[in-house]
């Protein structure tokens, strides 16, 4: 469930058209570097989720509701908004950070999900499942995005479907948080 | 670089928007600290409220009170009267000396409002025609607590008579008629969300006192129906948190032998725990200020009390390995006892947290000083719980019962 939630909140098809890098090696470097950066951030956040939730006065089931709400919001956006555009990038390898990691890979959905998953699964398992999601996303980002009108439409439709999946997964997460003790 | 700055500003806006939605969905939860000593004080103050608000002649308690206006609120009803007696005898059984004496004053009202059934074999608490089943059921529960607290068996025959009437309200499927007609013992087709749990509890109390009279099978039939059919058959949506059924389940642990609870019942218990748990979490997010807009004012004290009762009872059920952790099939069971009962899937630490939180909120919200409502009768407010300036006797009943059940789970 957490791996699926991570994939749909990152939404590889939404960020694919905006992935930085002109050549395949450049794209791969940015995608891999961005994914690694985000993975480190997610592990750090999930590792700190216990103290963070204590400070906020929120327990694990309620954090799941929060993650569900974030996924629903992000998923709804992905259903109606256009794909990511080619972003202004930092020079050289730093493009993996901006826009590779932020804003493409690491958004509020993944951030809140990392906190919730950290409380439920621990940092190691959260890192593992989010790592899988980031690897899938990086593999997509490393490919040249479709340039044809039809190809772009297919990707756009895929983005919307993934957004719809995020809404459903978010609702399931929220329901799980509600009905947990 | 300015393009990057603008983009990052856009990212910040996106984060803020999503976090705003999350902030509406969940709020910080505040659970006041609660220890056994504080719970004990609150329990004694609540018993004191009943002692100060019972009429010796009629046996009635003060039903409701508007502390802002300084006026009484009428609407007296029999199920709530029986519920109050139940909580007071419960308090006596928990060691609050004098609580049973206060409740015994309320038996005057009971004796004046009890009718025999037409065949003379049963009895109904309430008007002869159209009495709510819950009143008789809760009276049995109260008398059961009385017997436990005082050892007095003088009302055993009454309990059995009420029990015979209650048996007539249970259908073959395990549904419960919500209204009793003393002439024919039941009114077909009436249902109530809570009467079913109340009757299950009453029959569970009666079973060890009067074995072999059919109480066991009827109680189990009700439990099976509750767990598998009720919500669909009675169009109960959303699912109800049933504190009275939780009392029934806990009482079944005292049967000899206890029933083996099948997978459907265990799943139902897990869902009940979730329902009680989320209510505690939601209530603890109500902290005044802006949360009044997003969460509303605090819940009725009686409502929070029922949540505490449910958690306290189910904590006992979860810990009762003979109920949830054994494998035994019973010939008289209406349940499909399976061969491997793995227990209840619940996070024990989270359950303990919710119980402490519920107790903490209840203790904090009790009126300890009449100065809080200067225009009110001090006897009507001290030891009571109010919502928007109004209290009803079942607010004290459920909060009292909840604190009694939760106290053993609090820090000494």
């Amino acid at each position: 469930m957490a791996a699926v939630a991570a994939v749909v909140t990152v939404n590889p098809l939404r960020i694919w058209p905006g992935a930085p890098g002109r050549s395949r090696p450049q794209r791969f470097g940015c995608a891999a570097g961005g994914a690694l950066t985000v993975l480190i951030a997610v592990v750090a956040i999930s590792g700190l989720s216990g103290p963070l939730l204590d400070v906020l006065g929120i327990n694990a089931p309620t954090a799941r509701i929060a993650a569900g709400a974030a996924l629903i919001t992000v998923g709804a956006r992905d259903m109606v908004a256009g794909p990511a555009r080619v972003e202004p990038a930092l020079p050289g390898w730093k493009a993996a950070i901006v826009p590779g990691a932020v804003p493409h890979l690491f958004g509020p959905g993944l951030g809140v999900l990392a906190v919730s998953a950290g409380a439920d699964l621990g940092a190691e398992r959260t890192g593992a499942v989010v790592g899988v999601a980031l690897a899938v996303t990086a593999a997509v980002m490393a490919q040249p995005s479709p340039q044809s009108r039809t190809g772009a439409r297919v990707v756009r439709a895929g983005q919307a479907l993934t957004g719809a999946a995020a809404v459903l997964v978010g609702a399931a997460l929220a329901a799980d948080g509600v009905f947990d003790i | 670089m300015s393009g990057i700055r603008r983009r990052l500003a856009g990212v910040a806006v996106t984060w803020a928007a999503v976090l705003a939605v999350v902030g509406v969905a969940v709020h910080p939860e505040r659970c006041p600290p609660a220890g056994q000593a504080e719970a004990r004080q609150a329990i004694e103050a609540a018993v004191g409220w009943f002692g100060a608000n019972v009429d010796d002649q009629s046996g009635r308690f003060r039903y409701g009170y508007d502390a802002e206006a300084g006026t009484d609120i009428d609407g007296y009803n029999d199920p709530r009267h029986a519920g109050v007696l139940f909580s007071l005898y419960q308090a006596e059984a928990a060691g609050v000396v004098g609580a049973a004496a206060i409740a015994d004053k309320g038996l005057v009202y009971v004796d004046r409002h009890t009718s025999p059934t037409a065949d003379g074999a049963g009895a109904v608490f309430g008007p002869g025609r159209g009495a709510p089943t819950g009143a008789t059921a809760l009276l049995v529960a109260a008398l059961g607590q009385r017997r436990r607290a005082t050892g007095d068996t003088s009302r055993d025959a009454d309990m059995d008579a009420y029990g015979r009437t209650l048996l007539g309200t249970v259908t073959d499927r395990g549904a419960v008629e919500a209204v009793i007609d003393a002439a024919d013992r039941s009114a077909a087709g009436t249902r109530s969300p809570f009467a079913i749990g109340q009757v299950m509890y009453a029959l569970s109390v009666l079973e060890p006192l009067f074995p072999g009279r059919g109480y066991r099978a009827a109680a189990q039939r009700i439990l099976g129906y509750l767990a598998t059919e009720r919500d669909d058959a009675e169009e109960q949506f959303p699912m109800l948190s049933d504190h009275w059924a939780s009392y029934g389940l806990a009482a079944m642990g005292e049967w000899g032998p206890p029933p083996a609870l099948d997978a459907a019942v265990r799943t139902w218990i897990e869902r009940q725990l979730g329902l009680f748990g989320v209510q505690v979490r939601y209530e603890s997010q109500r902290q005044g200020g802006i949360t009044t807009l997003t969460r509303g004012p605090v819940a009725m004290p009686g409502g929070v009390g029922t949540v505490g009762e449910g958690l306290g009872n189910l904590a006992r059920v979860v810990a009762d390995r003979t109920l949830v952790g054994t494998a035994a099939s019973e010939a008289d069971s209406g349940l499909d006892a399976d061969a491997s009962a793995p227990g209840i899937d619940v996070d024990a630490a989270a359950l303990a947290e919710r119980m402490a939180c519920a107790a903490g909120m209840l203790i904090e919200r009790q009126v300890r000083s009449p100065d809080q409502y200067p225009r009110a009768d001090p006897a009507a407010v001290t030891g009571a719980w109010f919502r928007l300036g109004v209290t009803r006797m079942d607010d004290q009943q459920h909060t009292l019962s909840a604190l009694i059940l939760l106290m053993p789970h609090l820090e000494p």
Side-chain angles (χ1 to χ4, degrees), chain A residues 6-117:
Chain A
V7 170
V8 296
T9 192
V10 172
N11 201 337
L13 295 176
R14 184 184 71 82
I15 57 180
W16 190 13
R22 290 178 183 164
S23 65
R24 183 168 292 195
Q26 270 186 333
R27 293 176 72 91
F28 178 78
C30 283
L36 188 61
T37 304
V38 171
L39 182 60
I40 291 168
V42 164
V43 170
I45 290 170
S46 57
L48 292 171
S49 66
L52 178 63
L53 290 177
D54 282 346
V55 168
L56 293 174
I58 290 173
N59 53 51
T62 304
R64 226 173 294 144
I65 298 173
L71 257 72
I72 290 170
T73 310
V74 169
R77 177 203 64 186
D78 290 353
M79 287 171 69
V80 297
R85 292 166 297 170
V86 175
E87 301 276 353
L90 289 175
W93 64 269
K94 293 176 186 172
I97 299 172
V98 178
V102 179
H104 284 337
L105 289 170
F106 190 68
L110 188 60
V112 179
L113 184 66
V115 174
S116 169

Side-chain angles (χ1 to χ4, degrees), chain B residues 129-154:
Chain B
R129 288 194 172 275
T133 307
T136 300
L138 291 183
L139 182 59
V140 169
L143 294 176
Q145 286 290 339
R146 182 178 185 275
R147 195 179 193 276
R148 178 194 298 263
T150 66
D152 181 4
T153 57
S154 64

Side-chain angles (χ1 to χ4, degrees), chain A residues 56-59 61-62 65-66 69-70 73-74 77 87-90 98 102-103 106-108 111-112 177-181, chain B residues 1 3-4 7-8 11 14-15 18-19 21-22 25-29 273-275 277-278 281 285 311 346-347 350-351 354:
Chain A
L56 293 174
I58 290 173
N59 53 51
T62 304
I65 298 173
T73 310
V74 169
R77 177 203 64 186
E87 301 276 353
L90 289 175
V98 178
V102 179
F106 190 68
V112 179
V178 166
F179 290 108
D180 196 344
I181 189 166
Chain B
M1 291 298 279
I4 291 178
R7 186 65 189 99
L8 291 180
V11 169
T14 304
W15 272 80
V18 173
L19 292 181
V21 172
V22 169
V26 300
H27 292 346
E29 294 154 2
L273 282 164
L275 288 172
V278 73
R281 286 187 277 133
Q285 294 177 19
L311 287 171
V346 61
D347 180 339
L351 174 57
R354 302 301 167 264

Side-chain angles (χ1 to χ4, degrees), chain B residues 178-359:
Chain B
V179 177
I180 304 173
D181 190 321
D184 61 5
R185 288 203 196 179
S186 70
T190 55
R191 298 287 182 269
S192 145
F194 290 112
I196 186 167
Q198 292 164 341
V199 171
M200 186 179 104
Y201 179 35
L203 299 177
S204 301
V205 168
L206 289 166
E207 162 58 22
L209 301 179
F210 308 100
R213 310 244 177 123
Y215 297 131
R216 182 188 191 95
Q220 289 191 281
R221 212 159 64 236
I222 294 173
L223 179 56
Y225 176 78
L226 259 181
T228 60
E229 291 184 49
R230 196 278 293 272
D231 290 352
D232 289 336
E234 301 181 17
E235 297 178 349
Q236 181 62 55
F237 183 85
M239 194 177 171
L240 201 68
S241 57
D242 195 333
H243 55 291
W244 290 116
S246 77
Y247 275 109
L249 277 162
M252 286 179 183
E254 297 175 11
W255 290 0
L261 304 181
D262 72 358
V265 173
R266 293 197 303 273
T267 299
W268 185 79
I269 292 171
E270 288 166 8
R271 286 186 185 155
Q272 287 288 312
L273 282 164
L275 288 172
F276 289 124
V278 73
Q279 288 177 87
V280 171
R281 286 187 277 133
Y282 193 85
E283 187 64 25
S284 67
Q285 294 177 19
R286 289 173 158 154
Q287 295 166 30
I290 197 167
T291 67
T292 309
L293 297 175
T294 54
R295 293 290 181 269
V298 295
M300 288 173 60
V304 182
T306 62
V307 171
E309 289 175 279
L311 287 171
N313 279 312
L314 291 184
R316 195 173 140 200
V317 171
V318 167
D320 189 339
R321 307 314 298 172
T322 59
L323 260 181
V324 299
T326 58
S329 183
E330 292 185 293
D332 64 344
S333 169
L335 308 173
D336 299 319
D338 67 9
S340 56
I344 304 293
D345 180 18
V346 61
D347 180 339
L351 174 57
E353 278 181 26
R354 302 301 167 264
M355 288 195 288
C357 190

